[in-house]
Coordinates of all heavy atoms in Angstrom, one line a residue:
S6 N 8.7 0.6 10.3 CA 8.9 -0.1 9.0 C 9.6 0.8 8.0 O 10.1 0.3 7.0 CB 7.6 -0.6 8.5 OG 6.7 0.5 8.2
G7 N 9.5 2.1 8.2 CA 10.1 3.0 7.2 C 9.3 3.3 6.0 O 9.8 3.8 5.0
V8 N 8.0 2.9 6.0 CA 7.2 3.1 4.8 C 6.5 4.4 4.9 O 6.3 5.0 6.0 CB 6.2 1.9 4.7 CG1 6.9 0.6 4.5 CG2 5.2 1.9 5.8
P9 N 6.0 5.0 3.7 CA 5.3 6.2 3.8 C 3.9 6.0 4.5 O 3.3 4.9 4.4 CB 5.0 6.5 2.3 CG 6.1 5.8 1.6 CD 6.3 4.5 2.4
N10 N 3.5 7.1 5.1 CA 2.2 7.0 5.9 C 1.0 6.5 5.1 O 0.2 5.8 5.6 CB 1.9 8.4 6.4 CG 0.8 8.5 7.4 OD1 0.7 7.7 8.3 ND2 -0.1 9.4 7.2
E11 N 1.0 6.9 3.8 CA -0.2 6.5 3.0 C -0.2 5.0 2.6 O -1.3 4.6 2.2 CB -0.3 7.4 1.7 CG 0.9 7.2 0.8 CD 2.0 8.1 1.1 OE1 2.1 8.8 2.1 OE2 3.0 8.1 0.2
T12 N 0.8 4.3 2.9 CA 0.8 2.9 2.6 C 0.3 2.0 3.7 O 0.0 0.8 3.5 CB 2.2 2.4 2.2 OG1 3.1 2.6 3.3 CG2 2.8 3.1 1.0
I13 N 0.1 2.6 4.9 CA -0.5 1.8 6.0 C -2.0 2.2 6.1 O -2.3 3.3 6.5 CB 0.2 2.0 7.3 CG1 1.6 1.7 7.3 CG2 -0.6 1.3 8.4 CD1 1.9 0.2 7.2
S14 N -2.9 1.4 5.6 CA -4.3 1.7 5.6 C -5.0 1.1 6.9 O -4.7 0.0 7.3 CB -5.0 1.1 4.4 OG -4.5 1.7 3.2
I15 N -5.9 1.9 7.4 CA -6.7 1.4 8.5 C -7.9 0.6 8.0 O -8.7 1.1 7.2 CB -7.3 2.6 9.3 CG1 -6.2 3.5 9.9 CG2 -8.2 2.1 10.5 CD1 -6.6 4.8 10.4
M16 N -7.9 -0.7 8.3 CA -9.0 -1.5 7.9 C -10.1 -1.5 8.9 O -11.3 -1.5 8.6 CB -8.5 -3.0 7.6 CG -7.4 -3.0 6.6 SD -7.7 -2.1 5.1 CE -8.7 -3.2 4.2
S17 N -9.7 -1.6 10.2 CA -10.7 -1.5 11.3 C -10.0 -1.1 12.6 O -8.8 -1.5 12.8 CB -11.5 -2.8 11.5 OG -10.6 -3.8 12.0
E18 N -10.7 -0.4 13.5 CA -10.2 -0.1 14.8 C -11.4 -0.2 15.7 O -12.4 0.4 15.5 CB -9.6 1.3 14.8 CG -8.3 1.5 14.0 CD -7.8 2.9 14.0 OE1 -8.6 3.8 14.1 OE2 -6.6 3.0 13.9
N19 N -11.3 -1.0 16.7 CA -12.4 -1.3 17.6 C -12.0 -1.0 19.1 O -11.3 -1.8 19.7 CB -12.9 -2.7 17.4 CG -14.2 -3.0 18.2 OD1 -14.3 -2.6 19.3 ND2 -15.1 -3.7 17.5
E20 N -12.5 0.1 19.6 CA -12.1 0.5 21.0 C -12.7 -0.5 22.0 O -12.0 -0.8 23.0 CB -12.6 1.9 21.3 CG -11.7 2.9 20.6 CD -11.9 4.3 21.3 OE1 -12.1 4.4 22.5 OE2 -11.8 5.3 20.5
E21 N -13.8 -1.0 21.8 CA -14.5 -1.9 22.7 C -13.7 -3.2 22.8 O -13.5 -3.7 23.9 CB -15.9 -2.3 22.2 CG -16.8 -2.9 23.2 CD -18.2 -3.1 22.7 OE1 -18.8 -2.0 22.4 OE2 -18.7 -4.2 22.6
N22 N -13.2 -3.8 21.7 CA -12.4 -5.0 21.7 C -10.9 -4.8 21.9 O -10.2 -5.8 21.9 CB -12.7 -5.8 20.5 CG -14.1 -6.3 20.4 OD1 -14.8 -6.5 21.4 ND2 -14.6 -6.5 19.2
L23 N -10.5 -3.5 21.9 CA -9.1 -3.2 21.9 C -8.3 -3.9 20.8 O -7.3 -4.5 21.0 CB -8.5 -3.5 23.3 CG -9.0 -2.8 24.5 CD1 -8.4 -3.4 25.8 CD2 -8.9 -1.3 24.4
S24 N -8.8 -3.8 19.6 CA -8.2 -4.4 18.5 C -8.3 -3.5 17.2 O -9.1 -2.7 17.1 CB -8.9 -5.8 18.2 OG -10.2 -5.6 17.8
A25 N -7.3 -3.8 16.3 CA -7.2 -3.0 15.1 C -6.7 -3.9 14.0 O -5.9 -4.9 14.3 CB -6.4 -1.8 15.2
F26 N -7.0 -3.6 12.8 CA -6.4 -4.3 11.6 C -6.0 -3.3 10.6 O -6.7 -2.4 10.2 CB -7.4 -5.3 11.0 CG -6.8 -6.2 10.0 CD1 -6.2 -7.3 10.4 CD2 -7.0 -5.9 8.6 CE1 -5.6 -8.2 9.4 CE2 -6.4 -6.7 7.7 CZ -5.7 -7.9 8.1
Y27 N -4.7 -3.3 10.3 CA -4.1 -2.4 9.3 C -3.6 -3.2 8.1 O -3.3 -4.4 8.3 CB -2.9 -1.7 10.0 CG -3.3 -0.9 11.2 CD1 -3.1 -1.4 12.5 CD2 -3.9 0.3 11.1 CE1 -3.5 -0.8 13.6 CE2 -4.3 1.0 12.2 CZ -4.1 0.5 13.5 OH -4.5 1.2 14.6
A28 N -3.4 -2.6 7.0 CA -2.8 -3.3 5.9 C -1.7 -2.4 5.3 O -1.9 -1.2 5.1 CB -3.9 -3.5 4.8
Y29 N -0.6 -3.1 5.0 CA 0.5 -2.4 4.3 C 0.2 -2.7 2.8 O 0.2 -3.8 2.4 CB 1.9 -2.9 4.7 CG 2.9 -2.4 3.7 CD1 3.2 -1.1 3.5 CD2 3.6 -3.3 2.9 CE1 4.1 -0.6 2.6 CE2 4.5 -2.9 1.9 CZ 4.8 -1.6 1.8 OH 5.7 -1.1 0.9
L30 N 0.0 -1.6 2.0 CA -0.4 -1.7 0.6 C 0.8 -1.1 -0.2 O 0.8 0.1 -0.4 CB -1.7 -1.1 0.3 CG -2.9 -1.6 1.2 CD1 -4.1 -0.7 1.0 CD2 -3.1 -3.0 0.9
P31 N 1.7 -1.9 -0.8 CA 2.8 -1.3 -1.5 C 2.4 -0.5 -2.7 O 3.1 0.4 -3.1 CB 3.7 -2.5 -1.9 CG 2.8 -3.7 -1.7 CD 1.7 -3.3 -0.7
N32 N 1.2 -0.8 -3.3 CA 0.8 0.0 -4.5 C 0.4 1.4 -4.2 O 0.3 2.2 -5.1 CB -0.3 -0.7 -5.2 CG -1.6 -0.9 -4.4 OD1 -1.5 -1.1 -3.2 ND2 -2.7 -0.7 -5.0
K33 N 0.3 1.7 -2.9 CA 0.0 3.1 -2.5 C 1.3 4.0 -2.4 O 1.2 5.2 -2.2 CB -0.8 3.2 -1.2 CG -2.2 2.7 -1.3 CD -2.9 3.1 -0.1 CE -4.4 2.9 -0.3 NZ -5.2 3.4 0.9
N34 N 2.4 3.3 -2.5 CA 3.7 4.0 -2.5 C 4.1 4.3 -4.0 O 4.6 3.4 -4.7 CB 4.8 3.1 -1.9 CG 6.1 3.9 -1.8 OD1 6.4 4.8 -2.5 ND2 7.0 3.4 -0.8
K35 N 3.7 5.4 -4.4 CA 3.8 5.8 -5.8 C 5.2 5.6 -6.4 O 5.4 5.1 -7.4 CB 3.4 7.2 -6.1 CG 3.4 7.7 -7.5 CD 2.9 9.1 -7.7 CE 3.0 9.6 -9.0 NZ 3.4 8.9 -10.1
Y36 N 6.2 6.0 -5.6 CA 7.6 5.9 -6.1 C 8.1 4.5 -6.2 O 8.7 4.1 -7.2 CB 8.5 6.8 -5.2 CG 8.1 8.2 -5.2 CD1 7.5 8.8 -4.1 CD2 8.3 9.0 -6.3 CE1 7.1 10.1 -4.1 CE2 7.9 10.3 -6.4 CZ 7.3 10.9 -5.3 OH 6.9 12.2 -5.3
L37 N 7.9 3.7 -5.1 CA 8.3 2.3 -5.1 C 7.5 1.5 -6.2 O 8.1 0.8 -7.0 CB 8.0 1.7 -3.8 CG 8.2 0.2 -3.7 CD1 9.7 -0.1 -3.8 CD2 7.7 -0.3 -2.3

């Protein structure tokens, strides 16, 4: 996506269910 690392937040990661939920939060990109 070309976004800074800090803008992709881990909301959940579940090894048992092999699932994850991430959020792209533009307000964490200070410059943008």
